Amino acid sequence: MSIEVKNVSKAFGNVAAVNKVNFSVKEGELMALLGPSGGGKTTVLRMIAGLEMPTEGDIFIRGVRVNDISVQKRNIGFVFQNYALFKTMNVFKNIAFGLKIKKWKRADIAGRVEELLKLLGLEGLEKRYPHQLSGGQRQRVAIARALASKPSVLLLDEPFGAVDAKIRQELREWLVHLHKDLNVTTLFVTHDQEEAMEVSDRIVIFSKGNLEQIGAPREVYEQPANEFVARFIGVMNVLEVEVQNGVGRVAELEFPVPTHPDGKKMLIGFRPYAVQISTDLAQYRYRAVLVRTYFLGIMLRLELELPSGLVLRSRITKEEYALLGLSDGREISLQIRQYRVLSSEASGLPPELHTTYELPPTIGEHI
C-alpha cells in the first residue's frame, strides 16, 4: 500500500476532530476525501502530510511509519486551496523553489521545470507572475511546484475550490489525464460530491470526524452504508417504515423486506431513477400527481405527491418526459423499482440486513 491510516484520532483540546479512522490507499490510486465542512477530511490530509500530529494511531507511507518524520522528509507534494504561490516570483521560480531548497543542480532544475511546464500546459508562461495568470493557471503552477521533486504522494486540499464552475470542470478533466500520465498516488479533499464521483477511483466519506464509508463512486452511490451517505451522495428518497409480516409500510407504500424482524422501524432509501412512472393509471400499483418539474439539462427531476400527501422524487430524461406528455398537475401511476434498507443510529440493524431489493422490470397491481 502507498498510504495506510491505522486507528488515527485527532483532538484539538476537548474537541475530537477525527475518531479512530482506518483506510489505505493503493499505489497509483486517485482517492477523494469527501464530506461536509467540519467532517475531518482536511485534518486527515494534514496528518498524512505531517502538518498535524495524530493524537493516537499510526500513519504509514510505503510501509514506513511516518508519525515522527518531518514534513520535509516524507517526500510528499502538498497543494493548498489558495495556491500559496510566491507573489514576487515568476512561474519558473515558483516551480523551481523546492528544488533550489533541496540543492538540485541548476541544469537539472531547468530541465525539470521545462518538463513540468510542458506536462501541465504552462509553456510560454514561465516569466509571468501569479497576478498575471488565470485561476486555473495558478492552480496548475501550484500542482507543478508540488510535483517538481517527484514526490511519492500528492495531496490536494480543495484544489479547485477557488475557481469558477467552468474552470473547475476543465481542471477536473485535466487532473484525471495528468494522474493517468504520472500514476502518482493522489489524495484530494473536496466537499463537492459531483467532483469526487467524477474524478476519483475510490471515495472516503467523512462526517463529524468519523469515516462513514469507503468505496468506488458507483458503490457509494448505489449501496450507501447508512442514512448519512444516502442523503449526502446525490439525491435519495428516505422513508421510515414499520415492519409487519415481512413488509415495511409508510402511508400507502409497501416494501417487502422478508428477512427483517416484525415490529421494528427502519429506513428505506431509493434513488429518483428507481421511481418508475406511467401516464397509464392502470400500469403500476400506486397513483400520484406530478406537482413540480425541475429542469437539470438532459434530465428532469419530478416531485410526485401521493394521495396521503407523501412526496417522492423521480428522475427521467427530457425525451421520456415529452413522450409521456407530462406536465405539472398530471396524474400518473408509479412503482419503486429498487430500494435499500439503510442503517441509522437508531435502527440497530446489523450490516448484513442493509439489503438492496429489486423488483421485476414491469409490475401491475401487485408487488
Side-chain angles (χ1 to χ4, degrees), residues 7 16 30 47-48 50 66 101 118 147 155 177 184 201 213 237 243 245 261 268 310 324 328 332 338-339:
N7 204 35
L30 177 56
M47 286 191 286
I48 294 170
V66 297
I101 295 296
K118 183 177 181 180
L147 290 170
L155 306 179
H177 290 296
V184 62
D201 298 316
Q213 187 172 358
N237 298 285
V243 181
N245 300 318
I268 293 287
L310 184 66
L324 288 170
D328 291 359
I332 54 94
Q338 184 187 77
Y339 52 94

Side-chain angles (χ1 to χ4, degrees), residues 154-179:
L154 178 63
L155 306 179
L156 310 172
D157 185 12
E158 303 261 11
F160 311 138
V163 296
D164 62 42
K166 183 177 184 299
I167 299 299
R168 189 159 60 244
Q169 180 61 46
E170 292 174 357
L171 285 172
R172 289 178 192 170
E173 296 171 4
W174 170 81
L175 178 61
V176 171
H177 290 296
L178 178 68
H179 180 262

